[in-house]
Amino acid sequence: MPKALTLDDRLIDYLHSVSLREPEVLRQLRAETAAHPRSQMQIAPEQGQFMALLVELLGARRILEIGCFTGYSSLAMSLALPADGYIDTCDVDEETTAIARHYWQAAGQQDKITLHLGPALDTLKELPGPYDLVFLDADKVNYDAYLEASYKRLRAGGLILIDNVLWSGAVADESVRDPDTEALRALNRKLQADSRFTISMLPLADGLTLARKR
Ligand code: CA
């Protein structure tokens, strides 16, 4: 059996050097977010590029994002959308989403992205969908509730992307018992047995599960 590949910093640098096509506005947003105390919440640039590819593959036009942070993922997806495409993104943080708004404006994407400030489970009552693609990247203890709310709003054949499913490896460490880790473990197990979806868990960045609604 081949040895599993571990992506150390040198290999990630190489991967970036030969495959990353990051628009300047996203590069600037990433640089600004790197100085933020919660910078680890930003998705990796190769993940943004992958999600943009998924938007194209799916022919997505209607996207729901739960967890916006400083707006990298929404901007990466928006740039891949057709002119009549749109994103509804939910977050509770005024400070980080102010950074997001600034960069959406700088990229000319502000008309395609609507920010809904407030608890997502409340916001979603006003957003019936349907959506082609959902990106789930908010508080982990509510992931299951977000998944179920997203499922109801997703078209058949639509895709839910669930971020941080490997949680820096904590999910595989039985000594870790905090609520976030337990919630991710439970969701991963649930999805494995959930016949409503076709799934694939990718060891991309912090782990990304693709779940396609059947
Ligand atoms: Ca994340």
Side-chain angles (χ1 to χ4, degrees):
M1 201 174 143
K3 188 174 172 296
L5 180 63
T6 303
L7 289 183
D8 57 18
D9 288 347
R10 193 179 69 156
L11 204 43
I12 289 172
D13 286 346
Y14 173 78
L15 182 154
H16 287 176
S17 72
V18 297
S19 72
L20 202 61
R21 296 181 180 175
E22 189 177 36
E24 179 59 19
V25 66
L26 282 176
R27 196 195 62 75
Q28 288 173 9
L29 170 53
R30 186 155 63 95
E32 178 166 347
T33 304
H36 192 277
R38 283 175 284 141
S39 62
Q40 82 289 348
M41 285 172 62
Q42 176 162 260
I43 65 166
E46 63 271 27
Q47 181 175 341
Q49 188 168 321
F50 176 65
M51 287 165 56
L53 175 63
L54 291 177
V55 170
E56 287 189 18
L57 283 172
L58 207 58
R61 204 173 58 76
R62 306 158 298 187
I63 296 176
L64 172 65
E65 176 177 74
I66 304 175
C68 174
F69 191 47
T70 60
Y72 190 100
S73 47
S74 42
L75 185 50
M77 291 191 288
S78 180
L79 290 168
L81 278 173
D84 66 344
Y86 60 88
I87 300 177
D88 285 310
T89 183
C90 307
D91 206 288
V92 293
D93 192 321
E94 278 192 54
E95 181 226 332
T96 52
T97 55
I99 300 170
R101 285 183 199 269
H102 172 81
Y103 282 91
W104 298 339
Q105 184 96 32
Q109 299 296 304
Q110 70 278 4
D111 294 338
K112 285 159 81 179
I113 308 172
T114 304
L115 173 66
H116 302 270
L117 266 180
L121 291 171
D122 294 339
T123 300
L124 287 172
K125 291 173 190 157
E126 312 298 322
L127 298 174
Y131 294 98
D132 305 304
L133 177 66
V134 178
F135 180 47
L136 176 45
D137 190 17
D139 53 304
K140 309 313 172 201
V141 290
N142 278 317
Y143 257 26
D144 187 53
Y146 296 142
L147 177 81
E148 293 306 323
S150 299
Y151 179 82
K152 292 192 191 107
R153 290 159 177 80
L154 197 66
R155 70 159 165 90
L159 190 65
I160 304 182
L161 304 174
I162 306 157
D163 200 31
N164 303 108
V165 291
L166 294 177
W167 208 225
S168 303
V171 285
D173 180 348
E174 288 301 319
S175 69
V176 181
R177 291 284 174 195
D178 64 90
D180 289 344
T181 306
E182 296 282 24
L184 285 163
R185 277 189 193 119
L187 189 76
N188 289 339
R189 282 282 178 214
K190 170 176 160 167
L191 280 169
Q192 184 182 24
D194 195 332
S195 61
R196 296 175 299 168
F197 299 102
T198 305
I199 61 163
S200 181
M201 181 189 275
L202 300 182
L204 170 68
D206 196 29
L208 183 71
T209 290
L210 281 62
R212 180 179 184 266
K213 182 173 178 173
R214 289 177 164 166

